[in-house]
Amino acid sequence: GWGACSLSCGGVGAQDRLVYCETTLADGSTVNTTDDQCPAASRLPARQNCQTPSCAPEWAIYEYGSCTRSCATGQQDRVVTCEQLTFRAETILVSDEQCPGPKPRTVRQCNAVDCVPGVWQAIPWQPCSLSCATGTQTRGVLCEQVKANGDVRIVGDDTCLAAARPADRRPCNAVPCPAE
C-alpha cells in the first residue's frame, strides 16, 4: 500500500510505495526478480501525488524593526498576522480570531539605558559686573543626562564631553566710563 503523504496540509505532497517485479513459476508460486525481468509497460508507479487539506491558521511573526531611541527606553514594532496555508499551497491572511491563543505582542521596549554622553545646559547670562569699562558676565553650565527611565538628571561634568562645554564667563560692556 501507499505510505503516508509527505505533507500533512497545505498543498500537494507525495507518497511512496514499494514496487517490485514478481515472476510466476511453473508450480504457481511467485518469486521476486530484478526489475529488468519485467516489461516496462507493466511496471507500476512507486510514487504518486497526494492532495492535502488547508492547514490550520497560525501566527506569522516578523522581525522587530529598529528602536525609536538609542537610549532612555525606546520602542520597537513588528508585524504579527494570522495566516493560513491553503490546500492550493497559497498563504492567505485570515482574521486574528481564527488563530490559536492570544496574539503575540507587536511592541516591545528597547535600549533602556542611560544616554551617554550627557548634554550641556547653559543657564542665561547674569548682568554685566560693570556698567561701563570691560566687565564680566557669568552663567551656570550644567551637565544633564537622560536616564534609562526618561528622567533628566543633573550629573557630574565628567558625564558630558569637556570639549563641547559652553563658556561660563565672557567680557561685556567694553565702553569707556564717562569722565568725572
Side-chain angles (χ1 to χ4, degrees):
W2 292 102
C5 191
S6 60
L7 291 179
S8 60
C9 65
V12 176
Q15 56 189 162
D16 297 316
R17 67 178 174 182
L18 213 55
V19 175
Y20 49 90
C21 183
E22 286 183 343
T23 301
T24 305
L25 301 177
D27 66 2
S29 63
T30 58
V31 293
N32 292 347
T33 60
T34 59
D35 284 351
D36 60 358
Q37 297 286 315
C38 287
S42 69
R43 198 166 292 147
L44 299 172
R47 173 169 282 196
Q48 72 176 7
N49 290 342
C50 46
Q51 179 64 56
T52 62
S54 295
C55 296
E58 59 184 24
W59 295 113
I61 302 169
Y62 297 88
E63 292 295 316
Y64 279 104
S66 56
C67 193
T68 57
R69 300 181 76 164
S70 59
C71 59
T73 310
Q75 172 178 304
Q76 286 177 297
D77 299 319
R78 69 176 175 187
V79 174
V80 176
T81 56
C82 185
E83 297 180 359
Q84 183 177 29
L85 186 60
T86 70
F87 68 94
R88 290 189 180 103
E90 299 166 340
T91 299
I92 60 170
L93 293 178
V94 296
S95 69
D96 287 356
E97 293 75 30
Q98 294 184 54
C99 269
K103 183 175 184 171
R105 67 184 184 165
T106 59
V107 177
R108 72 177 177 190
Q109 289 186 337
C110 51
N111 293 336
V113 295
D114 296 346
C115 293
V116 179
V119 177
W120 293 109
Q121 293 297 334
I123 295 170
W125 292 103
Q126 295 296 313
C128 193
S129 61
L130 298 174
S131 59
C132 63
T134 301
T136 304
Q137 270 186 307
T138 60
R139 67 177 175 182
V141 175
L142 306 169
C143 179
E144 291 182 343
Q145 183 181 39
V146 182
K147 301 307 243 175
N149 65 4
D151 290 349
V152 177
R153 298 278 165 83
I154 296 170
V155 292
D157 287 359
D158 58 340
T159 305
C160 287
L161 296 174
R165 189 179 197 280
D168 59 1
R169 354 177 31 85
R170 70 179 179 188
C172 55
N173 286 351
V175 292
C177 289
E180 292 192 23

